[in-house]
Amino acid sequence: MLFKTSPSPHIKASNKVQSMMFQVLYALIPGALAAMYFFGWGVLFNLGIAISICLASEALMLKLRKRNITTHLTDGSALVTACLLALALPPLAPWWLTTIACLFAIVVAKHLYGGLGFNPFNPAMVGYIVVMISFPLQMTLWTTPISIGHGWPDFLTTFHWVFGGHLPTNANLDSISMATPMDIIKTQLHQSHFINETRASDTYKMFFGTLSGVGWQWINSLYLIGGIWLIKKGVIDWRIPVALLIGLAFFANLFQAIDFSTHTSAIFQLFSGGIMLGAFFIATDPITASTTPKGRWLYGFGIGTLIFIIRTWGGYPDGIAFAVVIMNMVVPIIDYYTLPKIYGHSNN
Amino acid sequence: MTVTKTISTFHGGLKLKGNKQLSTGTAITAAAVVSQYIIPLQQHIGAISESLVSIGEHVLKGQMIAKPGSTISAAVHAPVSGTITAIDRQPVPHVSGLPDYCITIDNDFKDKWVKTQPLAEDYNNHTSRDLRQLLRDAGIVGLGGATFPSDIKETEMDTHTLILNGVECEPYITCDDMLMRERAQQVLAGADIIGHIIKAHECIVAIENNKPEAIKAMQAVIDADGTGFFRLQVIPTLYPSGGEKQLIKIITGKEVPSGHFPGELDVLCHNVATAYAIYQAIYEARPLISRIMTVTGHGIQQPQNIEVLIGTPMKDCIEQCGGYINDNCELIMGGPMMGLTLQSDHLPVIKATNCLLIRPCTEAADTKTHLPCIRCGKCVEVCPVRLLPQQLYWYTSCKNMERVKNHHLFDCIECGCCAYVCPSDIPLVQYYRFAKTEIRHKQQQRIASDTARQHHEAHQQRLERQKQEREQRLRKKREMLAARNKNTDSNNKEAITDAIARAKAKKAEREQAATKQPVKQ
């Protein structure tokens, strides 16, 4: 009788790429639900469009590249890219904007570089940057949070806007959309209104909560909780998000200490925009991040620092995508210079 | 007396399901005697042993049938008395799957021992050198898995600490556990002999905390001993704590420098089974002709530990344990993490066979396809050597062997932790073995080509030298000839002119004479 042979080890842990990807998706659920609650149907439309486009383009690219479609399509990576992109884009993003971002992420940033495991840049962030640079106006179309004014538009209005590009006669864009709290502060600073003035003013005070913007503080808190769950599950490494948050908080505190009237607090920074989504779900994308323990500290801290720089002095409202992609570029160098000390070697 | 001492830990490692209770239910039983034994000549690290017997010869049990082939090599002995029927290539349990030289003995069932006198307590009066020779003659090799010849290992003289490795961290395997439970006295007596040979000051017995009965048995003997030489150190259960370098780190807190032996740290590590074999060699004059082996797994009827003669066909051991539950299974020699899958059970048990693991194929890892590496770094977290397995994999798959070497591939102990946790199911250890072979092969090629080039250059130089020598010789000869020619030339001219002058003179004489005598007519 001949037995089957295989290389050692002959036992395996149960974790799989697919299960890791799906755990990431589960961890996104609380934050995504909060986003839907505060910003309405647009979030759902974004998710629907992004998931269909990403899966379709992934399947097409796999077919063109003569890869096994079922094995690779079910690994969950395209689904994660789709969800991250959908949650990062503004809720009133037109369908074509989401489509372009997704196509660019999957076709160019992922598959043209060799597919899963070979892409040097985070696909979702590359897609985001492409539409951010090309369509800056559409990228600011955030809905009014639920508790303010009329809140977000109803299903039909959103549907018309996202798929038809126009609003029903009884609605206008200004009443359903508004700038994000970070934008408000930035615009007001340009008009020489200090932060505490803005936050206390009658026009704007309703947009700010205890931690940061209304809605935003909740969404960020729930992404934070999802992220901590991922760390506990061992899906992501804790070093990158912790280093990122420390990096951002460090500079926020430093500059607030220098001039509190023109710089927001570290807490406001940490709970604004897509920070928690970026720190726990985007920067931790293992393929494009540094892989050495020390390198992950540097990588996370670098992203946090760059976010602060872009937010404070850059022309864009939020800098996560740029910060992540810039640090992606530095990863090979970081990895090379942060080799861990090996057993029995006195130094590297 | 137990002195509790803080212990260190190594990086990474895995908490694995032990499955040890499967085979610890019954006491160690002797394996059935069979009619034919096949004894491979290569059962150890080092050179192959040299056969001392010929076909048709009758041998006695315990008789040396092959001697060490070089300094690093081991002797092989007849496990039974009987007749040599073949010395040829036979299938052996080796990773290559290739047959190798074996001596086949047909058992005469007389169990007639070669005449020997055990040293017993008298060993204390013998020098380390004599005792090492005795171990060499007894064919003792490390029984923890590496099968390194013990007499070579013990040339580390005046080593302060002897670590007795009773860790047995691989799942399923329980042969060391059972040995310590049942024969603690003998194991420690063996350790005492090693201690005497290397002049150790202390012996630390390391056992994982998942073996309470072995700990109890060993502790009882240590307490009874009362010399203070032995100290039991219970360590946490973590794979691969039984790896020599990892265990040394745990016990001493120090790392064995890369490319060096533990002797650098004044430490020597020996397995409990080796200590037992040494005990048998000294107290019973019994060379290494048997070992305790675990036959276990969910694919065998009666998992248990058996004391088996080296050379027994595995098939007979499996039959003794009730046979396979189901034909559709996998046979592994060793543990599930580092063991070797065998194609057939028609193979002999060798000195390294600590375990036969039989698993139904449903439990076997699916290695058909694997996904690309997503650089998740799980492998980095578990690597006990603190390597970057994902980078080694990356550079191996693009055959950038320089980078592979720079990332210290040769420090890899192939424990399999990285492949165990890999979510993409990449057979990482397989890649590293490939890279190691590739690099070694290249090095050999380079050495070969260097030697060839040196030979060629030497040859060219010799040719050149010979040419020059010849030319010089020729030149000298030419010069000599030329000189001589010149001499002869001038001599000749003189001779010619002389001759002409003489001839002229003669002619003149003749003419004169003619003019003087015309009147005679």
Side-chain angles (χ1 to χ4, degrees), chain A residues 2-3 5-13 15-17 116-117 234 286-287 289 291 296 341-345, chain B residues 245 255-256 258 324 336 339 341 343 359 374-376 378 385-386 390 408 411 419-425 430 433:
Chain A
L2 282 184
F3 300 106
T5 57
S6 55
S8 66
H10 309 289
I11 45 176
K12 283 277 306 151
N15 64 318
K16 294 275 171 275
V17 170
L116 180 71
I287 297 164
T291 63
R296 286 178 166 175
K341 190 196 99 61
I342 289 157
Y343 181 106
H345 288 261
Chain B
K245 290 181 167 182
E255 297 182 352
V256 183
S258 176
Y324 303 107
T341 46
Q343 274 211 324
R359 297 194 311 161
I374 57 164
R375 291 162 48 93
C376 64
K378 292 242 175 284
V385 189
R386 259 187 259 105
Q390 84 284 21
H408 303 289
D411 284 288
Y420 177 87
V421 296
C422 179
S424 295
D425 292 334
Q430 190 76 342
R433 287 195 190 119

Side-chain angles (χ1 to χ4, degrees), chain A residues 224 240-250 270 275-276 279-280 300-301 304:
Chain A
L224 171 66
I240 294 173
V242 169
L244 189 154
L245 300 180
I246 288 175
L248 178 60
F250 172 77
L270 292 179
I275 287 299
M276 295 301 171
F280 289 92
F301 194 83

Side-chain angles (χ1 to χ4, degrees), chain A residues 1-18 20-21 71-72 75 116-118 233-237 239 285-293 296 331 335-336 338-345 347-348, chain B residues 245 249 255-258 324 327 329-332 336-339 341-345 359 365 371-378 380-381 385-388 390-391 394 403 407-408 411 416 419-425 429-430 433:
Chain A
M1 182 170 70
L2 282 184
F3 300 106
K4 253 180 41 176
T5 57
S6 55
S8 66
H10 309 289
I11 45 176
K12 283 277 306 151
S14 57
N15 64 318
K16 294 275 171 275
V17 170
Q18 192 191 35
M20 289 173 77
M21 295 290 177
T71 321
H72 288 86
D75 66 22
L116 180 71
F118 296 90
K233 282 276 169 186
V235 176
I236 58 169
D237 189 77
R239 293 177 186 87
D285 164 35
I287 297 164
T288 56
S290 169
T291 63
T292 65
R296 286 178 166 175
V331 160
D335 279 358
Y336 188 80
T338 54
L339 292 181
K341 190 196 99 61
I342 289 157
Y343 181 106
H345 288 261
N347 50 37
N348 290 343
Chain B
K245 290 181 167 182
K249 176 82 200 309
E255 297 182 352
V256 183
S258 176
Y324 303 107
D327 269 358
C329 58
E330 193 180 47
L331 178 63
I332 300 166
M337 290 300 288
M338 291 183 76
T341 46
L342 301 175
Q343 274 211 324
S344 153
D345 53 11
R359 297 194 311 161
L371 288 173
C373 169
I374 57 164
R375 291 162 48 93
C376 64
K378 292 242 175 284
V380 181
E381 285 164 31
V385 189
R386 259 187 259 105
L387 295 168
L388 294 176
Q390 84 284 21
Q391 302 292 79
W394 178 268
R403 275 287 168 91
H407 280 71
H408 303 289
D411 284 288
Y420 177 87
V421 296
C422 179
S424 295
D425 292 334
V429 180
Q430 190 76 342
R433 287 195 190 119

Side-chain angles (χ1 to χ4, degrees), chain B residues 463-510:
Chain B
L463 287 182
E464 183 68 19
R465 202 176 55 236
Q466 283 174 344
K467 196 176 152 196
Q468 279 176 356
E469 279 171 3
R470 202 165 51 236
E471 272 173 6
Q472 210 171 1
R473 253 196 333 264
L474 281 172
R475 199 167 59 238
K476 266 186 190 160
K477 207 168 178 180
R478 264 201 300 273
E479 277 168 8
M480 217 166 69
L481 277 174
R484 203 195 295 157
N485 282 351
K486 209 172 153 192
N487 286 343
T488 37
D489 273 9
S490 52
N491 287 348
N492 284 354
K493 270 180 194 162
E494 275 170 31
I496 290 165
T497 41
D498 281 358
I500 292 170
R502 271 198 311 272
K504 277 182 179 168
K506 269 187 183 169
K507 204 180 170 184
E509 262 175 44
R510 266 200 307 260

Side-chain angles (χ1 to χ4, degrees), chain B residues 164 179-180 183-192 218 272 275-276:
Chain B
L164 196 59
L179 174 71
M180 288 189 286
R183 299 170 199 182
Q185 185 83 51
Q186 290 90 321
V187 169
L188 290 171
D192 224 3
M218 296 290 272
V272 285
Y276 180 66

